[in-house]
Amino acid sequence: MSKIRVLSVFGTRPDAIKMCPLVLALDRDERTESIVCVTAQHREMLDQVLGCFGVRPDYDLNIMKPRQTLTTITEAILEKLEPVLTDAAPDIVLVHGDTSTSFVAALCAFYQKIPVGHVEAGLRTFDRYSPFPEEMNRRLTGRLATLHFAPTELNRENLAREGITDGVTVTGNTVIDSMKYTVREDYTFEDETLRGIDFADGKTVLLTAHRRENLGVPMENICRAVQRLIARYPELRVIWPVHLNPAVRETAFGMLRGLPRVTLIEPTNVVDTHNLMAKCAFVMTDSGGIQEEATAVGVPTLVLRTETERPEGLDTGILKLVGVEEDAIFDTASRLLSDPAFYASMAGAKNPYGDGFASERIIDAICAWKGV
Ligand code: UD1
Ligand code: UDP
């Protein structure tokens, strides 16, 4: 019997981190033939992930441009993916989540009448402009897809509210599969700066921020809150692996470079990152994926956004939505640093995102759909 040809298309750091364990599982499964196409919407940050998981793409569209726009990303992928789809002739194209790579790859597959499977389907904030453009990217991908792999029951309900009930499977999130490869008790960091830090004093905080809607004033507010926290708490150490987006770097380095106990480093590889958050006192982030990962390892996390598509994490108490105003960030971080009862109320692993076998469930659902 011929194998099901599964083409996975991804291209940024977060979709790579969540698709690589699935690609490895597709490689292992005798029922499927795995083909990988990366758009390289991100270049260095994507290659870092591919290296960690040992995934070698069959096709590389290499589209990244400095200061690319949503339009240039979209047109480059549409143009360059079309011949790949013709050449690879997959039975199904898998895309992930909410990036422009995912939406445009789904659209391109639809134009060739190739069925699409949407991994991490059904996350919603119900605000079309926040996160932007991700909320619309995932809604449109949901419209285009034939199979929908929802991480949680709540995500399945979100799809049902939009009339999407056929081809939906609740699988767990592949990020937990990914963490099975990465998190270790006795881990030694690859990054030299991280190797030199003593995490035992419980005063180290991980910070990340990169969202389009946080560029400019919100990110300046975040930096100002950090300046105040550093001045107020003499033992506090803040580590920010800064995203390669020049707009992020201008603000981060412009406002925080040289500040004592603020360590601005290059993006850390995913294995370092997962182990870093597990060792930190708490996390401050506007990242989507880090909200799930921090929830899974039980590390209190202040979400630097006005909304989240991950209410499961809020329900555990581990995530707190603090927004992007300087005072709110300063006040809540201060409480975590000075009020042990408040800290304890947020800490402790309660993982609502699955058991680390999402990839296997996704493959089983694809095989069942093909009658294999
Ligand atoms: C993209 C996704 C966002 C996701 C984020 C994860 C879209 C529209 N946005 O946003 O959903 O949360 O990735 O990080 O799909 N750059 C490099 N090297 C890299 C990566 C980025 O130099 O390896 C720089 C380039 O100048 C690039 C810029 O960062 O133009 C922005 O990258 P882009 O993918 O357009 O936006 P992100 O904010 O990274
Ligand atoms: N991450 C990483 N190195 C970093 C920052 C983040 O490996 O320096 C990982 C993080 O653990 C998570 C993913 O990248 O798995 C999240 O990516 P990002 O925050 O860029 O995107 P989002 O999840 O918000 O779309």
Side-chain angles (χ1 to χ4, degrees):
M1 198 171 46
S2 64
K3 295 185 176 198
I4 305 170
R5 289 173 67 78
V6 182
L7 174 65
S8 303
V9 183
F10 51 91
T12 68
R13 172 171 67 190
D15 54 11
I17 289 171
K18 291 166 166 182
M19 287 297 276
C20 280
L22 176 54
V23 166
L24 297 177
L26 284 162
D27 274 337
R28 285 192 301 266
D29 201 300
E30 295 192 338
R31 299 166 296 176
T32 54
E33 182 179 347
S34 172
I35 313 157
V36 173
C37 173
V38 294
T39 62
Q41 177 181 331
H42 286 172
R43 185 71 272 172
E44 300 85 347
M45 285 159 52
L46 170 75
D47 292 343
Q48 207 179 23
V49 182
L50 295 174
C52 285
F53 286 93
V55 168
R56 279 204 208 93
D58 301 284
Y59 302 93
D60 189 332
L61 308 185
N62 199 23
I63 68 146
M64 194 190 86
K65 297 265 182 305
R67 297 194 188 257
Q68 59 204 2
T69 67
L70 297 176
T71 304
T72 61
I73 296 170
T74 303
E75 58 192 18
I77 297 173
L78 270 182
E79 194 184 320
K80 292 191 168 181
L81 187 57
E82 186 179 66
V84 170
L85 295 181
T86 308
D87 185 60
D91 295 304
I92 186 166
V93 168
L94 296 184
V95 299
H96 183 277
D98 57 20
T99 61
S100 289
T101 283
S102 310
F103 160 56
V104 181
L107 182 65
C108 208
F110 171 74
Y111 285 163
Q112 297 202 27
K113 299 197 176 142
I114 301 167
V116 171
H118 189 196
V119 181
E120 198 179 83
L123 278 68
R124 298 287 184 270
T125 59
F126 305 102
D127 177 346
R128 57 165 50 206
Y129 290 114
S130 193
F132 176 84
E134 289 83 3
E135 174 75 1
M136 194 51 74
N137 280 345
R138 59 192 168 216
R139 287 195 215 173
L140 295 171
T141 306
R143 281 284 139 222
L144 293 163
T146 300
L147 298 183
H148 312 262
F149 307 113
T152 69
E153 187 56 33
L154 187 87
N155 302 146
R156 188 192 63 72
E157 287 166 18
N158 289 341
L159 292 171
R161 282 167 65 172
E162 294 174 11
I164 299 172
T165 51
D166 286 346
V168 180
T169 313
V170 177
T171 58
N173 196 309
T174 55
V175 76
I176 307 298
D177 305 19
S178 181
M179 292 182 96
K180 286 202 300 197
Y181 290 91
T182 56
V183 182
R184 297 277 172 273
E185 277 284 332
D186 58 349
Y187 183 71
T188 306
F189 290 106
E190 198 175 286
D191 184 287
E192 211 176 312
T193 312
L194 297 181
R195 265 206 308 273
I197 292 175
D198 175 15
F199 291 87
D201 63 6
K203 299 291 182 202
T204 302
V205 171
L206 170 65
L207 167 66
T208 82
H210 75 275
R211 301 230 79 81
R212 271 181 163 71
E213 62 274 14
N214 276 351
L215 298 178
V217 172
M219 207 163 288
E220 290 163 20
N221 291 344
I222 294 167
C223 291
R224 266 190 291 274
V226 169
Q227 290 167 344
R228 279 171 64 193
L229 288 163
I230 284 290
R232 171 83 177 70
Y233 296 95
E235 289 173 344
L236 175 66
R237 201 182 297 115
V238 175
I239 299 176
W240 185 350
V242 187
H243 192 289
L244 295 182
N245 185 343
V248 175
R249 296 174 82 80
E250 278 157 20
T251 305
F253 285 99
M255 293 184 67
L256 298 178
R257 195 204 304 261
L259 210 64
R261 293 170 284 114
V262 175
T263 309
L264 304 175
I265 52 178
E266 293 306 307
T268 43
N269 77 47
V270 58
V271 192
D272 269 5
T273 313
H274 286 175
N275 286 283
L276 172 61
M277 73 181 77
K279 289 186 197 306
C280 277
F282 64 92
V283 175
M284 302 200 290
T285 190
D286 67 4
S287 165
I290 292 178
Q291 290 178 58
E292 291 151 354
E293 295 159 350
T295 303
V297 293
V299 176
T301 296
L302 306 185
V303 181
L304 307 173
R305 294 169 51 174
T306 52
E307 38 57 30
T308 179
E309 55 291 275
R310 290 159 170 99
E312 301 90 347
L314 292 180
D315 291 344
T316 64
I318 293 166
L319 305 186
K320 204 167 276 303
L321 207 54
V322 289
V324 285
E325 297 301 329
E326 178 189 329
D327 284 349
I329 299 167
F330 176 81
D331 291 346
T332 319
S334 291
R335 273 194 83 188
L336 278 174
L337 289 163
S338 59
D339 179 348
F342 181 68
Y343 185 90
S345 74
M346 287 183 69
K350 297 170 210 108
N351 167 22
Y353 296 113
D355 57 3
F357 292 96
S359 301
E360 285 73 11
R361 287 191 194 92
I362 290 167
I363 296 170
D364 285 346
I366 294 170
C367 292
W369 165 73
K370 286 297 276 181
V372 174

